Amino acid sequence: MSIGQAPPAKTRQEAVEQSSLAQIGDVDIDDVLDYVHADLKRLPDHMELYRRYLRQRWDVYELDFTQDVIDWRTRMSQEERDAFVAISSGFHHGERQVAVDLPVFMLGGTEESKIYMSSQIEDEARHTVFFDRFYREVVALPGSTVQEVLDASYPYVSETFVGPFGLLAYQADELRRDPEDLAARTRYGTTYFLWIEGVLALSVMKITLTYCRTRKFLPAYYAGFTATCRDEARHVQGGMRFLRDAVQSDPSQLREIHETLRTILSMNGAVSRRLALEALGWTPEEVRRLMIRQLSMKLSDVGIDLPPDIQQMIQRIEPELAGG
Ligand SMILES: [Fe+2]
Ligand SMILES: [Fe+2]
């Protein structure tokens, strides 16, 4: 390969697959998003995802935020810092909530899925620590415990966070009564794996990581959040496999997916204040298109069709950013 020539797609996918934490800072976020979708048509099984987890697990304490602190204090404008905190606080709280809401989902399903789910719980806990470190060391929020730092970032959380994460908390409570209830698992899986991870989280990753990469800011945040996105590839693939298998084993589960999407899309956009996306180089229309694309790609790849009323709701999606 000559210098300056973009590496071929296969090599880029291998780079995403195999990078260590020290190498992943060179990986482009678009290649990680392609990696999320590359396997969706085939959908790896739980033990394959678990083996991949063991290879890709990274140590959140290896990140060095020294340069990020300099960038945050001296190179980013107040407007950029405000927009960044407004978007990432939904993720900080989202990671914490999915980490504590996932064990109830792990209780149901096959033994293979329980083994795999233990790795996703560990991922989500590590992502919570990643944001805890970022908020303490770079943003310099006060607090000596994980809870205190969460409390300090709470005022920045957008009110749209309440919709999908409130719904997930409700669905986790419902599942706690009977962890084997397939319809309750499908509703929970639609909110968590399809909407929160597959649409909201991947959109935040694309927006904040493109900003970091084009401005050459926040290298440890970039490395840690890109590694988080690679973890999300496993979560989304495992989640889409669950939804596809649920519908194949019982076609009435499709109705549960549709009803849950109607609930989610009805709540979407119920906001009284807008995120200042422009500070990070994005217009609301671009974010809308990004979210529609993230949702459509997953549904079409796993063969989940939507009735016209939901398709119309999707075209009217309002920019909403959180994740987990
Ligand atoms: Fe996740
Ligand atoms: Fe996560």
Side-chain angles (χ1 to χ4, degrees):
M1 192 194 337
S2 63
I3 293 167
Q5 196 181 332
K10 185 170 184 299
T11 318
R12 296 205 304 270
Q13 292 296 292
E14 282 168 3
V16 176
E17 171 82 35
Q18 295 158 11
S19 288
S20 66
L21 187 62
Q23 296 164 328
I24 209 162
D26 295 329
V27 168
D28 191 322
I29 177 59
D30 284 331
D31 291 336
V32 189
L33 291 173
D34 287 345
Y35 178 75
V36 174
H37 297 97
D39 256 347
L40 275 185
K41 288 203 172 68
R42 183 178 68 89
L43 285 178
D45 66 26
H46 286 121
M47 296 315 284
E48 189 180 339
L49 290 172
Y50 181 68
R51 289 182 71 152
R52 213 204 281 172
Y53 156 80
L54 291 174
R55 289 197 304 272
Q56 294 181 341
R57 189 169 51 175
W58 47 282
D59 183 344
V60 63
Y61 292 104
E62 269 177 20
L63 293 169
D64 176 357
F65 285 106
T66 308
Q67 182 61 43
D68 295 52
V69 173
I70 295 166
D71 292 346
W72 188 265
R73 288 191 193 152
T74 65
R75 298 176 70 204
M76 287 171 67
S77 68
Q78 187 62 42
E79 206 187 6
E80 287 170 325
R81 284 192 292 263
D82 289 346
F84 207 92
V85 165
I87 293 176
S88 46
S89 295
F91 230 101
H92 185 206
H93 284 261
E95 296 289 10
R96 176 260 162 208
Q97 192 185 330
V98 294
V100 301
D101 273 344
L102 198 47
V104 67
F105 186 82
M106 179 186 164
L107 293 175
T110 62
E111 292 310 306
E112 285 82 359
S113 101
K114 287 172 184 155
I115 289 167
Y116 162 71
M117 278 302 158
S118 74
S119 73
Q120 183 167 339
I121 292 169
E122 192 279 319
D123 276 336
E124 307 298 16
R126 181 159 24 82
H127 300 166
T128 307
V129 177
F130 167 71
F131 277 99
D132 182 73
R133 284 199 61 196
F134 178 72
Y135 274 101
R136 280 177 207 242
E137 296 174 42
V138 181
V139 185
L141 290 187
S144 58
T145 65
V146 172
Q147 183 65 60
E148 284 170 5
V149 178
L150 279 163
D151 289 346
S153 85
Y154 189 71
Y156 302 102
V157 171
S158 150
E159 60 197 313
T160 54
F161 176 85
V162 176
F165 285 89
L167 181 63
L168 185 68
Y170 175 84
Q171 288 167 331
D173 272 346
E174 194 185 22
L175 202 50
R176 203 164 282 126
R177 290 195 286 273
D178 181 5
E180 297 288 353
D181 179 343
L182 183 60
R185 284 170 63 75
T186 302
R187 292 191 287 272
Y188 174 104
T190 304
T191 304
Y192 186 166
F193 309 130
L194 177 60
W195 183 253
I196 291 176
E197 294 188 310
V199 180
L200 299 183
L202 295 184
S203 299
V204 174
M205 285 163 164
K206 168 78 177 159
I207 291 165
T208 59
L209 292 174
T210 303
Y211 165 81
C212 293
R213 192 172 173 90
T214 49
R215 302 292 300 273
K216 297 191 169 54
F217 287 166
L218 309 177
Y221 179 92
Y222 187 88
F225 208 36
T226 303
T228 300
C229 189
R230 183 173 65 180
D231 296 339
E232 287 309 317
R234 294 192 306 277
H235 304 175
V236 170
Q237 289 168 16
M240 291 307 99
R241 171 127 187 168
F242 163 73
L243 290 178
R244 189 198 64 182
D245 289 354
V247 172
Q248 279 181 359
S249 72
D250 174 3
S252 74
Q253 296 307 311
L254 190 58
R255 201 177 57 228
E256 302 296 340
I257 295 174
H258 289 165
E259 274 306 310
T260 308
L261 276 174
R262 284 191 185 95
T263 304
I264 290 167
L265 292 166
S266 303
M267 292 188 298
N268 160 260
V271 287
S272 60
R273 59 186 157 115
R274 293 233 160 267
L275 292 171
L277 296 160
E278 284 82 357
L280 302 183
W282 288 76
T283 66
E285 189 50 38
E286 285 169 333
V287 177
R288 183 196 330 275
R289 283 204 298 271
L290 174 64
M291 291 173 70
I292 293 172
R293 188 171 139 74
Q294 290 300 330
L295 182 59
S296 308
M297 280 168 80
K298 269 130 215 134
L299 292 171
S300 65
D301 279 356
V302 298
I304 294 174
D305 292 328
L306 297 179
D309 70 302
I310 299 184
Q311 284 174 16
Q312 280 171 12
M313 291 174 100
I314 288 172
Q315 293 310 312
R316 297 193 300 265
I317 281 178
E318 287 294 329
E320 167 184 334
L321 295 168

